[in-house]
Amino acid sequence: MTPPRFLLLCLWLTGSGTALADPPVDGSLALAGDYLFRGLSQTWGRPALQAGVDWNAGRLHAGAWASNVSRNNYPGGGVELDVFADAALWQRGAWSARAGGYAYRYPGANLERAHPALSSRGFDTLEASLALQWRRWTLKYSRALGDYFGTDVEQGYAGSTRGTDYLQLDGDILLSPRWNLHLHAGRTRYTAILAMPLANGARDPDYADFSLATSCALTDRWTLVATVSHATNAAFYVHVASFRDPVVQKDLGGTRVVLTLYATL
């Protein structure tokens, strides 16, 4: 998808929220210096334009989200389109629990479009999740219902990555009416390792990620967020080869500082 078409998609997603007269629907638009997903760059360290729409109706919540991604990560793709939904299981005082599903789609992305070409395999992923919330803190567990973002024997793994999971803890601390602090810690656990080790001997893709973000409400609609993120297991992620050219490598984890400008619509 070309950048103009992607921008039109973003505007359609956010505009759909304002087109409804009775809005349990909210739209958002963001420009980020990098798109980090669970601590790893999805845009090869480059900026991302993102848009989302959320629908809330009592116990039910659903939405869609879109971002550009790098073809170095997703050969033949360039756009991530997500849809998600969850429902409240119970609530007692400040405690609540929710269960849901999240689908990640990468139209056009396939390993057969890598250079050199690999066996056909898409990157689409479906996860089920369970979350426990207390006040402004959330503990969430997500589990892949199929292969985890295309990682399987086609990418050199010893077996299927079905069942790969992610455990995360997120919290918000209100500093003032305009300033907030966001804390995050997560752990990704793969169900398979590489069949053959990397040149440095690394085989295990498991890692943890941590982030500290400060947000400032510039106006009622605009918010600026500064995030410091760190992903562990540098031995595995410091020299990730591009699917477009294996000679080109990038550190997708490590420590990063990202500025993001959000707009609510």
Side-chain angles (χ1 to χ4, degrees), residues 74-77 106 108-114 118-123:
Y74 302 95
Y106 302 89
N110 196 293
L111 290 176
E112 66 182 5
R113 297 187 177 182
L118 302 172
S119 299
S120 179
R121 167 73 69 173
F123 294 84

Side-chain angles (χ1 to χ4, degrees), residues 6 14 19 48 66 81 83 92 98 105 121 124 165 168 170 198 227:
F6 172 66
T14 54
L81 300 175
V83 292
R92 295 179 182 175
R98 305 186 70 88
R105 295 203 65 242
R121 167 73 69 173
D124 295 355
D165 56 26
Q168 65 188 93
D170 297 274
L198 301 175
T227 303

Side-chain angles (χ1 to χ4, degrees), residues 188-200:
T188 301
R189 185 188 63 86
Y190 281 75
T191 54
I193 62 174
L194 288 179
M196 297 293 293
L198 301 175
N200 61 5

Side-chain angles (χ1 to χ4, degrees), residues 253-264:
T255 301
R256 297 174 179 273
V257 178
V258 178
L259 291 178
T260 305
L261 182 64
Y262 289 96
T264 56

Side-chain angles (χ1 to χ4, degrees), residues 25-40:
V25 178
D26 298 309
S28 65
L29 195 64
L31 178 61
D34 194 353
Y35 168 23
L36 299 182
F37 175 72
R38 295 174 180 171
L40 302 181

